[in-house]
Amino acid sequence: MPVDRLLPSQEAHDLIALTRDIADKLLDPIVDEHEKSETYPDGLFAQLGAAGLLSLPQPEEWGGGGQPFEVYLQVLEEIAAQWAAVAVAVSVHSLSSHPLLAFGDDDQKRRWLPDMLSGEQIGAYSLSEPQAGSDAAALRCAASRTDDGYLINGSKSWITHGGRADFYTLFARTGDGSRGVSCFLVPGDLPGLSFGKPEEKMGLHAVPTTSAYYDNALLSADRLIGAEGQGLQIAFSALDSGRLGIAAVATGLAQAALDEAVKYANERTAFGRKIIDHQGLGFLLADMAAAVASARATYLDAARRRDAGIPYSQQASVAKLVATDAAMKVTTDAVQVLGGVGYTRDFRVERYMREAKITQIFEGTNQIQRLVIARGLTS
Ligand SMILES: Cc1cc2nc3c(=O)[nH]c(=O)nc-3n(C[C@H](O)[C@H](O)[C@H](O)COP(=O)(O)OP(=O)(O)OC[C@H]3O[C@@H](n4cnc5c(N)ncnc54)[C@H](O)[C@@H]3O)c2cc1C
């Protein structure tokens, strides 16, 4: 059943209706096939871009939709309820364009933002390295200043959209320590940049995740975003918004699992009655519904703070923690509600469960979210 949303404007209602239409007509018919064959849905992102769904919260002056973040996140939730891999890709695209939008100069924005925001160019975010995941400041990929620009050498890992993106928002070392990291905008066809084979993942099969290798790749100096040494500040600022995207994706997954479980529990009978009428199962479904509602409430609270221009880092970490833990629990319980068939690929709940797991890991594991929250509680 469609979620009854409290939205700030008629335009937002229209956007949700458009997204549901796209989810039903464009995503639903192809999701199972692509997740099974692990193939990338070519052309899909151009269609989402043409519908304006790749740049909803960005300012209209640069070609964005000018929508409140809370509206963008609810659109993302609707996409995730149909196809989490696509919602993650949309969220990562938004994460990748944030540094240019928030820290780039006007000339850089004029040159690159319109194509990014129209979805003409798909973005990737390249912070992690084999030895630097949670501890992002341990990154080693080097950007050495030369007369011609920056010479990039090193490897990056776990890049969503790796090998497929048109641009990579790269964090590389220009000096020592946490103030020695800088942010760059790398074109996908830069000579000296190559990609590894797609990782064989538990879920999100349709969108590739790869490593990237830089071998004396020369980047022109005008591709530095912000100031030299400002990279980690830029990376974490982008992640505050990105974490909200992941919280919304997790909520969409949990909602989809709940819907499927409720439908099944109203149809399946055991011991002479519908299984939802057995209190043990009805209460399980009630707890699942409460968890989905709490997940949505936490991301909306953080998004509304962001829209109001007040600090929201703590709330973003709370939302990421609450929503992704809820998604893991609700999707696992949905498999339980379906019994034996829940464990087969005949129903989508097993996919939701596999997909929920990653939301607890990327863009800062939930242990790291607790670190951020605890730091905010320390006087
Ligand atoms: C499918 C997928 C897509 C991804 N996409 C991207 C992407 O697009 N761009 C990108 O840059 N990265 C991406 N990542 C990387 C992701 O953000 C990292 O995997 C994540 O941040 C965790 O880092 P790690 O894997 O190195 O784990 P580690 O940092 O090695 O952590 C291992 C474990 O130790 C725990 N831990 C670490 N430090 C602490 C601490 N101080 N206190 C308590 N516990 C701690 C962690 O919570 C975790 O449980 C992706 C990863 C995956 C799997």
Side-chain angles (χ1 to χ4, degrees), residues 355-374:
E355 291 170 339
K357 186 64 219 171
I358 187 56
T359 66
Q360 293 179 305
I361 295 173
F362 57 15
E363 300 207 19
T365 65
N366 282 2
Q367 284 74 31
I368 296 304
Q369 305 313 319
R370 288 184 176 89
L371 273 185
V372 174
I373 298 164

mmCIF file of all heavy atoms in Angstrom, residues 355-374:
data_model
loop_
_atom_site.group_PDB
_atom_site.id
_atom_site.type_symbol
_atom_site.label_atom_id
_atom_site.label_comp_id
_atom_site.label_asym_id
_atom_site.label_seq_id
_atom_site.Cartn_x
_atom_site.Cartn_y
_atom_site.Cartn_z
ATOM 1 N N GLU A 355 20.236 -6.691 0.716
ATOM 2 C CA GLU A 355 20.552 -5.282 0.437
ATOM 3 C C GLU A 355 20.613 -4.451 1.718
ATOM 4 O O GLU A 355 21.410 -3.510 1.822
ATOM 5 C CB GLU A 355 19.513 -4.712 -0.534
ATOM 6 C CG GLU A 355 19.658 -5.322 -1.920
ATOM 7 C CD GLU A 355 18.517 -4.985 -2.874
ATOM 8 O OE1 GLU A 355 17.423 -4.618 -2.414
ATOM 9 O OE2 GLU A 355 18.712 -5.097 -4.089
ATOM 10 N N ALA A 356 19.785 -4.798 2.683
ATOM 11 C CA ALA A 356 19.771 -4.017 3.935
ATOM 12 C C ALA A 356 21.141 -4.051 4.614
ATOM 13 O O ALA A 356 21.579 -3.074 5.219
ATOM 14 C CB ALA A 356 18.691 -4.553 4.869
ATOM 15 N N LYS A 357 21.845 -5.186 4.490
ATOM 16 C CA LYS A 357 23.105 -5.338 5.233
ATOM 17 C C LYS A 357 24.108 -4.231 4.884
ATOM 18 O O LYS A 357 24.760 -3.680 5.772
ATOM 19 C CB LYS A 357 23.711 -6.729 4.950
ATOM 20 C CG LYS A 357 24.931 -7.057 5.774
ATOM 21 C CD LYS A 357 24.604 -7.124 7.263
ATOM 22 C CE LYS A 357 25.700 -6.533 8.118
ATOM 23 N NZ LYS A 357 25.334 -6.398 9.539
ATOM 24 N N ILE A 358 24.203 -3.913 3.602
ATOM 25 C CA ILE A 358 25.230 -2.930 3.222
ATOM 26 C C ILE A 358 24.927 -1.546 3.787
ATOM 27 O O ILE A 358 25.833 -0.757 4.047
ATOM 28 C CB ILE A 358 25.422 -2.861 1.683
ATOM 29 C CG1 ILE A 358 26.604 -1.956 1.299
ATOM 30 C CG2 ILE A 358 24.175 -2.373 0.968
ATOM 31 C CD1 ILE A 358 27.908 -2.333 1.918
ATOM 32 N N THR A 359 23.640 -1.267 4.031
ATOM 33 C CA THR A 359 23.328 0.093 4.531
ATOM 34 C C THR A 359 23.921 0.304 5.931
ATOM 35 O O THR A 359 24.131 1.439 6.348
ATOM 36 C CB THR A 359 21.802 0.367 4.533
ATOM 37 O OG1 THR A 359 21.150 -0.479 5.479
ATOM 38 C CG2 THR A 359 21.193 0.173 3.155
ATOM 39 N N GLN A 360 24.195 -0.810 6.637
ATOM 40 C CA GLN A 360 24.813 -0.663 7.970
ATOM 41 C C GLN A 360 26.328 -0.470 7.870
ATOM 42 O O GLN A 360 26.988 -0.236 8.873
ATOM 43 C CB GLN A 360 24.550 -1.919 8.808
ATOM 44 C CG GLN A 360 23.087 -2.128 9.174
ATOM 45 C CD GLN A 360 22.907 -3.409 9.986
ATOM 46 O OE1 GLN A 360 23.306 -4.491 9.565
ATOM 47 N NE2 GLN A 360 22.320 -3.287 11.150
ATOM 48 N N ILE A 361 26.849 -0.608 6.636
ATOM 49 C CA ILE A 361 28.313 -0.590 6.479
ATOM 50 C C ILE A 361 28.832 0.647 5.753
ATOM 51 O O ILE A 361 29.764 1.309 6.224
ATOM 52 C CB ILE A 361 28.770 -1.876 5.729
ATOM 53 C CG1 ILE A 361 28.464 -3.117 6.586
ATOM 54 C CG2 ILE A 361 30.252 -1.809 5.376
ATOM 55 C CD1 ILE A 361 28.708 -4.445 5.888
ATOM 56 N N PHE A 362 28.230 0.968 4.576
ATOM 57 C CA PHE A 362 28.903 2.056 3.830
ATOM 58 C C PHE A 362 28.476 3.453 4.294
ATOM 59 O O PHE A 362 27.550 3.618 5.049
ATOM 60 C CB PHE A 362 28.831 1.868 2.313
ATOM 61 C CG PHE A 362 27.475 1.746 1.668
ATOM 62 C CD1 PHE A 362 26.322 2.092 2.335
ATOM 63 C CD2 PHE A 362 27.378 1.292 0.352
ATOM 64 C CE1 PHE A 362 25.088 1.982 1.713
ATOM 65 C CE2 PHE A 362 26.148 1.177 -0.273
ATOM 66 C CZ PHE A 362 25.003 1.530 0.419
ATOM 67 N N GLU A 363 29.261 4.427 3.823
ATOM 68 C CA GLU A 363 29.138 5.836 4.254
ATOM 69 C C GLU A 363 29.256 5.957 5.781
ATOM 70 O O GLU A 363 28.541 6.726 6.430
ATOM 71 C CB GLU A 363 27.857 6.458 3.701
ATOM 72 C CG GLU A 363 27.882 6.410 2.179
ATOM 73 C CD GLU A 363 27.094 7.478 1.478
ATOM 74 O OE1 GLU A 363 26.780 8.499 2.101
ATOM 75 O OE2 GLU A 363 26.821 7.278 0.285
ATOM 76 N N GLY A 364 30.184 5.175 6.321
ATOM 77 C CA GLY A 364 30.418 5.146 7.765
ATOM 78 C C GLY A 364 29.632 4.002 8.376
ATOM 79 O O GLY A 364 28.400 4.020 8.348
ATOM 80 N N THR A 365 30.348 3.013 8.921
ATOM 81 C CA THR A 365 29.644 1.878 9.540
ATOM 82 C C THR A 365 28.820 2.409 10.719
ATOM 83 O O THR A 365 29.026 3.537 11.191
ATOM 84 C CB THR A 365 30.648 0.838 10.083
ATOM 85 O OG1 THR A 365 31.383 1.455 11.148
ATOM 86 C CG2 THR A 365 31.608 0.356 9.001
ATOM 87 N N ASN A 366 27.949 1.556 11.226
ATOM 88 C CA ASN A 366 27.127 2.033 12.339
ATOM 89 C C ASN A 366 27.932 2.188 13.631
ATOM 90 O O ASN A 366 27.531 2.938 14.526
ATOM 91 C CB ASN A 366 25.896 1.138 12.502
ATOM 92 C CG ASN A 366 24.852 1.485 11.435
ATOM 93 O OD1 ASN A 366 25.101 2.347 10.586
ATOM 94 N ND2 ASN A 366 23.705 0.840 11.471
ATOM 95 N N GLN A 367 29.096 1.531 13.693
ATOM 96 C CA GLN A 367 29.997 1.831 14.828
ATOM 97 C C GLN A 367 30.512 3.269 14.703
ATOM 98 O O GLN A 367 30.587 4.001 15.688
ATOM 99 C CB GLN A 367 31.193 0.855 14.845
ATOM 100 C CG GLN A 367 30.891 -0.555 15.350
ATOM 101 C CD GLN A 367 30.116 -1.385 14.336
ATOM 102 O OE1 GLN A 367 30.260 -1.219 13.133
ATOM 103 N NE2 GLN A 367 29.286 -2.286 14.834
ATOM 104 N N ILE A 368 30.823 3.661 13.484
ATOM 105 C CA ILE A 368 31.328 5.031 13.286
ATOM 106 C C ILE A 368 30.211 6.050 13.562
ATOM 107 O O ILE A 368 30.457 7.126 14.121
ATOM 108 C CB ILE A 368 31.924 5.181 11.864
ATOM 109 C CG1 ILE A 368 33.155 4.271 11.709
ATOM 110 C CG2 ILE A 368 32.272 6.645 11.548
ATOM 111 C CD1 ILE A 368 34.271 4.469 12.732
ATOM 112 N N GLN A 369 28.974 5.708 13.216
ATOM 113 C CA GLN A 369 27.868 6.635 13.541
ATOM 114 C C GLN A 369 27.775 6.806 15.062
ATOM 115 O O GLN A 369 27.549 7.913 15.559
ATOM 116 C CB GLN A 369 26.512 6.119 13.007
ATOM 117 C CG GLN A 369 26.479 5.824 11.516
ATOM 118 C CD GLN A 369 27.065 6.914 10.652
ATOM 119 O OE1 GLN A 369 26.852 8.099 10.896
ATOM 120 N NE2 GLN A 369 27.827 6.539 9.642
ATOM 121 N N ARG A 370 27.978 5.714 15.798
ATOM 122 C CA ARG A 370 27.917 5.821 17.260
ATOM 123 C C ARG A 370 29.056 6.705 17.780
ATOM 124 O O ARG A 370 28.881 7.467 18.731
ATOM 125 C CB ARG A 370 27.989 4.434 17.907
ATOM 126 C CG ARG A 370 26.714 3.638 17.723
ATOM 127 C CD ARG A 370 26.771 2.291 18.450
ATOM 128 N NE ARG A 370 25.506 1.605 18.330
ATOM 129 C CZ ARG A 370 25.169 0.768 17.341
ATOM 130 N NH1 ARG A 370 26.029 0.484 16.386
ATOM 131 N NH2 ARG A 370 23.980 0.203 17.321
ATOM 132 N N LEU A 371 30.229 6.598 17.127
ATOM 133 C CA LEU A 371 31.354 7.469 17.523
ATOM 134 C C LEU A 371 30.970 8.935 17.351
ATOM 135 O O LEU A 371 31.229 9.765 18.222
ATOM 136 C CB LEU A 371 32.566 7.202 16.630
ATOM 137 C CG LEU A 371 33.546 6.109 16.992
ATOM 138 C CD1 LEU A 371 34.715 6.124 16.012
ATOM 139 C CD2 LEU A 371 34.074 6.361 18.397
ATOM 140 N N VAL A 372 30.348 9.251 16.199
ATOM 141 C CA VAL A 372 29.948 10.649 15.932
ATOM 142 C C VAL A 372 28.924 11.100 16.971
ATOM 143 O O VAL A 372 29.031 12.203 17.537
ATOM 144 C CB VAL A 372 29.341 10.771 14.504
ATOM 145 C CG1 VAL A 372 28.794 12.171 14.272
ATOM 146 C CG2 VAL A 372 30.359 10.404 13.440
ATOM 147 N N ILE A 373 27.950 10.235 17.254
ATOM 148 C CA ILE A 373 26.896 10.613 18.211
ATOM 149 C C ILE A 373 27.500 10.804 19.606
ATOM 150 O O ILE A 373 27.219 11.791 20.290
ATOM 151 C CB ILE A 373 25.775 9.542 18.231
ATOM 152 C CG1 ILE A 373 25.108 9.446 16.848
ATOM 153 C CG2 ILE A 373 24.732 9.873 19.293
ATOM 154 C CD1 ILE A 373 24.264 8.193 16.629
ATOM 155 N N ALA A 374 28.373 9.867 19.990
ATOM 156 C CA ALA A 374 28.980 9.952 21.330
ATOM 157 C C ALA A 374 29.836 11.209 21.460
ATOM 158 O O ALA A 374 29.825 11.880 22.508
ATOM 159 C CB ALA A 374 29.820 8.707 21.597
#
